Amino acid sequence: MVLKESSIDVQISSDLLPLLDDLAHGNSLSHNVKISIAISLFVAKTVSIARAAEIAELSLNDFIYILKVNKIPWGEYFDEDVIQDNIAIKDLLKELERKE
């Protein structure tokens, strides 16, 4: 999806500039703001991780890397996932035993 850009003027305290750079590591202030917005939308579960990467104008790998660097969880693993994984492991072990 191609994002339609609008230009707006936002006043940002100079004290926040280093914080934006530390969080986002973009190539410009504008890019840092886009990355910060994308992170906020992702953390709030407003957008998916793929959509957030697109908003940040980053590859999915690069966006995940920024999340990892900032210790922001990017994957969820629920109890149901554990149950499904345990079933899959048991099935694989049974299959391996049959082949022996």
Side-chain angles (χ1 to χ4, degrees):
M1 170 187 273
V2 176
L3 299 174
K4 181 180 176 189
E5 291 195 13
S6 296
S7 180
I8 60 171
D9 184 32
V10 177
Q11 302 298 316
I12 297 176
S13 168
S14 60
D15 295 343
L16 294 177
L17 298 179
L19 299 174
L20 275 173
D21 193 46
D22 286 345
L23 174 69
H25 302 286
N27 53 22
S28 68
L29 175 59
S30 177
H31 196 214
N32 284 344
V33 169
K34 287 178 186 178
I35 294 169
S36 297
I37 290 169
I39 290 171
S40 295
L41 292 171
F42 173 71
V43 168
K45 300 182 191 269
T46 304
V47 297
S48 68
I49 193 167
R51 181 73 174 117
E54 185 179 335
I55 291 167
E57 298 177 352
L58 295 169
S59 70
L60 184 56
N61 273 352
D62 288 343
F63 188 71
I64 289 172
Y65 176 77
I66 287 174
L67 294 175
K68 282 182 176 182
V69 166
N70 289 289
K71 297 179 174 65
I72 298 170
W74 59 272
E76 295 182 3
Y77 197 66
F78 298 105
D79 289 339
E80 183 179 314
D81 298 319
V82 173
I83 293 167
Q84 289 177 352
D85 285 350
N86 285 336
I87 291 170
I89 290 169
K90 286 178 186 176
D91 290 345
L92 286 171
L93 290 173
K94 285 179 188 176
E95 188 176 319
L96 287 173
E97 287 174 359
R98 277 188 248 142
K99 289 183 179 182
E100 291 179 354

